[in-house]
Amino acid sequence: MKIQTNTICINPEHPVRAAGYAQQVEPVSEIRDNLYARTLVIEQQGTRYVHIALDSLQAPKELMHSLKQQLQKAWGMPVCLVISGTHTHFAPDMRDSQYRQQVFRQLSEALSELEMEEAELTCSFVREPFGKIGASRISHWTTDQIFAQTLCIYNHGRRVATLLIHNCHPTVLSGDTPFFTCEYPGLAVRHLQQRYPDEFFSYLQGACGDVSTRFIRRAQTVEQMEEFGQIMADEFDSLLQRQPQPFPCRMGYQDHWLDLQHELKNPDSLIIPEYYSKRERETLVYGIEASRKNLANPEHLASQTMFSVLDFGGVRLIFSEFELFSEYNKATDPQHSALICYSQGYSHYVAGPSFDGMTYETLQDTLAPKTREAILALIRRYSAVAE
């Protein structure tokens, strides 16, 4: 086997609007915290398995397909590629073609000549509940499916790379923030890199459709963001100190296409509960608008979605483009799998099968109950790892 990691700064080279909030309409040029693309490459038996985490709201399909083609040509071997977004709402809009081309160029140049290192790899995986930063952002709803997870990779017994996983919207700051930032996940990665300068860290966003900092943050300030970054770094560090016995790393990959059935909601039947918070009432406006667009243009709804599975031999990472509710974590195996969203593209919220409320999130969810159950079954199927 072989391994290599790479970290590339992807700060925009020209002013571009941020992505994540409706009020973000003007181009932004100020950068408070650098944005990165963090790449892990493992080569096994003539195939390279690649994961890239972008400090971005999303991982556009166009970038994934173009980069995969470019890397296969440059490397002269099959490539299994997964691109995920950390989902910061304060990164350049990837729908901006000029910025998307910039990121493609930077990744292509940095990775095409990548020199791999001979390796004997093992892995370990830990998951534990972690609710110090996030909780349900829906007033009448709670969840106990919020976790901090670490997938550590060792070369000849020395830890060389760690994938950090948590499921909470990284949205401490407000939508009128005038600068780019990686938000608290990026700050947590920076803390860990300072503590362990010879190691590689990357952040992956879990199933957080119904989870955010809304009811935990005290203020939408830089100071609060920095505090959360420190709390998250300390939590991940504690997991690094108690890793179980490593297992041999044996890579595998597959895509699974799932047919989608839709069941559209009519927002005219919405009754806004008195207990909704001010922020929930504000965001309902955007949910109603999205719902009406779907009702008017059902032909634009996708008929399929792709789930990607990256297998490390004893742990499987299951990637989805959707903003899945945290309930889907119930279908994972606590010791053998993790669910990652905002990957291989970007699509709408998907409520858990047991959720029946009408909120900002669910007004954008077009999937029929049968499809939600099929997603649960798919996650459960790919979470089963042979011991």
Side-chain angles (χ1 to χ4, degrees):
M1 301 185 80
K2 298 179 180 180
I3 189 171
Q4 192 53 269
T5 60
N6 188 279
T7 301
I8 307 163
C9 183
I10 55 171
N11 292 340
E13 297 171 350
H14 68 286
V16 58
R17 72 177 290 273
Y21 289 106
Q23 60 264 52
Q24 294 168 318
V25 294
E26 297 298 327
V28 177
S29 57
E30 182 182 352
I31 298 163
R32 182 189 185 276
D33 306 294
N34 289 331
L35 308 171
Y36 292 99
R38 297 182 171 89
T39 303
L40 169 68
V41 183
I42 296 176
E43 182 178 327
Q44 176 186 277
Q45 296 179 343
T47 297
R48 287 188 179 175
Y49 301 85
V50 182
H51 180 265
I52 302 174
L54 301 175
D55 281 328
S56 175
L57 186 78
Q58 59 169 294
K61 289 183 175 71
E62 300 95 326
L63 178 63
M64 176 188 66
H65 294 312
S66 298
L67 186 60
K68 180 178 179 178
Q69 185 178 28
Q70 174 66 23
L71 292 180
Q72 288 187 150
K73 180 180 179 181
W75 291 343
M77 65 177 68
V79 173
C80 299
L81 172 65
V82 179
I83 302 181
S84 301
T86 63
H87 203 60
T88 173
H89 284 45
F90 310 103
D93 190 341
M94 275 289 183
R95 292 172 296 184
D96 182 289
S97 60
Q98 186 177 353
Y99 178 65
R100 194 169 62 247
Q101 283 299 314
Q102 173 198 321
V103 174
F104 170 76
R105 170 177 52 79
Q106 290 178 289
L107 288 170
S108 297
E109 292 175 355
L111 299 179
S112 291
E113 303 298 327
L114 197 67
E115 295 184 6
M116 303 294 290
E117 178 183 348
E118 293 289 343
E120 183 178 310
L121 301 181
T122 55
C123 302
S124 66
F125 179 73
V126 170
R127 175 172 103 171
E128 71 171 19
F130 178 56
K132 293 181 180 180
I133 288 173
S136 171
R137 66 186 196 173
I138 300 171
S139 293
H140 65 294
W141 187 251
T142 60
T143 177
D144 60 358
Q145 297 298 307
I146 307 172
F147 303 103
Q149 303 168 90
T150 54
L151 173 58
C152 296
I153 301 171
Y154 310 85
N155 186 10
H156 294 281
R158 181 178 68 86
R159 192 176 68 219
V160 293
T162 301
L163 303 183
L164 312 165
I165 306 167
H166 184 237
N167 56 308
C168 174
H169 270 81
T171 49
V172 174
L173 303 178
S174 63
D176 58 1
T177 296
F179 51 75
F180 292 122
T181 174
C182 52
E183 260 277 2
Y184 64 81
L187 302 185
V189 171
R190 188 167 70 193
H191 285 308
L192 291 170
Q193 287 175 328
Q194 290 170 348
R195 297 177 197 179
Y196 306 100
D198 296 329
E199 300 182 28
F200 170 85
F201 295 94
S202 186
Y203 181 83
L204 291 73
Q205 189 62 255
C208 64
D210 58 330
V211 179
S212 80
T213 65
R214 180 176 297 166
F215 296 126
I216 291 191
R217 66 196 182 212
R218 297 184 303 278
Q220 291 185 276
T221 61
V222 166
E223 291 75 19
Q224 180 71 88
M225 178 182 70
E226 291 177 338
E227 179 184 343
F228 279 178
Q230 186 68 63
I231 292 171
M232 173 171 277
D234 291 342
E235 171 65 16
F236 282 132
D237 203 356
S238 72
L239 296 186
L240 295 178
Q241 306 312 314
R242 58 180 188 83
Q243 294 295 313
Q245 181 66 32
F247 55 85
C249 182
R250 297 289 182 267
M251 300 302 298
Y253 176 88
Q254 56 186 309
D255 291 327
H256 183 111
W257 286 94
L258 182 70
D259 292 333
L260 302 177
Q261 295 184 9
H262 299 277
E263 189 174 283
L264 301 182
K265 303 174 182 67
N266 187 345
D268 293 337
S269 63
L270 173 65
I271 299 176
I272 302 177
E274 293 183 2
Y275 53 76
Y276 269 23
S277 68
K278 178 183 177 181
R279 180 59 180 160
E280 286 174 297
R281 291 173 180 271
E282 292 172 349
T283 56
L284 270 174
V285 174
Y286 303 114
I288 290 170
E289 180 182 353
S291 183
R292 286 183 173 147
K293 285 182 179 179
N294 290 330
L295 282 168
N297 303 283
E299 70 279 3
H300 295 167
L301 300 176
S303 60
Q304 285 187 317
T305 188
M306 184 182 75
F307 284 76
S308 297
V309 181
L310 189 57
D311 193 338
F312 287 80
V315 170
R316 288 176 177 170
L317 303 184
I318 303 166
F319 298 90
S320 171
E321 64 180 331
F322 289 120
E323 295 201 51
L324 297 174
F325 271 36
S326 61
E327 182 177 352
Y328 289 94
N329 279 329
K330 292 182 177 180
T332 61
D333 182 325
Q335 296 180 322
H336 297 295
S337 65
L339 179 59
I340 316 298
C341 295
Y342 314 101
S343 303
Q344 309 294 67
Y346 177 57
S347 195
H348 57 75
Y349 289 92
V350 178
S354 69
F355 188 87
D356 60 359
M358 200 176 276
T359 68
Y360 159 71
E361 296 85 3
T362 60
L363 283 168
Q364 298 180 59
D365 178 9
T366 64
L367 299 186
K370 183 177 180 180
T371 297
R372 295 194 196 100
E373 291 291 349
I375 292 174
L376 268 180
L378 186 153
I379 296 168
R380 194 173 293 115
R381 169 185 168 185
Y382 284 109
S383 292
V385 177
E387 300 261 0

